[in-house]
Amino acid sequence: MGSDRLPPRAIFLPPDGGRRYDMKTMSAVFKADGDETANRYSISEWWLDAMKPGPGAHKHDDNDEVFYVLEGRPSILLGERWIDAPKGSFLLIPAGVMHDFENRTDQRIGLLNFFMPGGFEPMMPMIVKWFDENR
């Protein structure tokens, strides 16, 4: 009655599926980006070990970001304010707003990230290299 094929542009990934980037105490798993979304958005998970800094304060001049807390209680910089965000929290970070996340707890944290427009993943090899050399 049905085909084993997914509809065009549909994606199914098992729980551990995606393209993984390890940065010592932090990792990212990209679920969709680039060709898969025509660079309209990217979707990734970001995981950070206990008591560790995140990527460092930064902003994206042309991209909005959404973070949804999957696990733990990350501290998230939004503009000039740090917010302790429990599991289930939602944050929208407009383009041009300084932001960061870090883990000030004794348990791992996980964030689901939507980056709009997409095209973020090509930067990941450079980001991984920076973390290897600097942290």
Side-chain angles (χ1 to χ4, degrees), residues 41-78:
Y41 56 90
S42 69
I43 301 173
S44 55
E45 295 176 357
W46 290 78
W47 297 93
L48 184 58
D49 291 345
M51 302 303 294
K52 298 298 178 186
H58 64 283
K59 63 181 180 173
H60 307 281
D61 292 330
D62 300 317
N63 305 85
D64 290 342
E65 278 194 89
V66 167
F67 284 102
Y68 181 82
V69 180
L70 297 170
E71 186 175 307
R73 187 180 191 95
S75 296
I76 300 176
L77 177 65
L78 187 56

Side-chain angles (χ1 to χ4, degrees), residues 105-116:
T105 73
D106 61 359
Q107 297 184 356
R108 180 175 88 146
I109 62 167
L111 298 162
L112 182 63
N113 176 254
F114 295 79
F115 190 83
M116 297 131 328

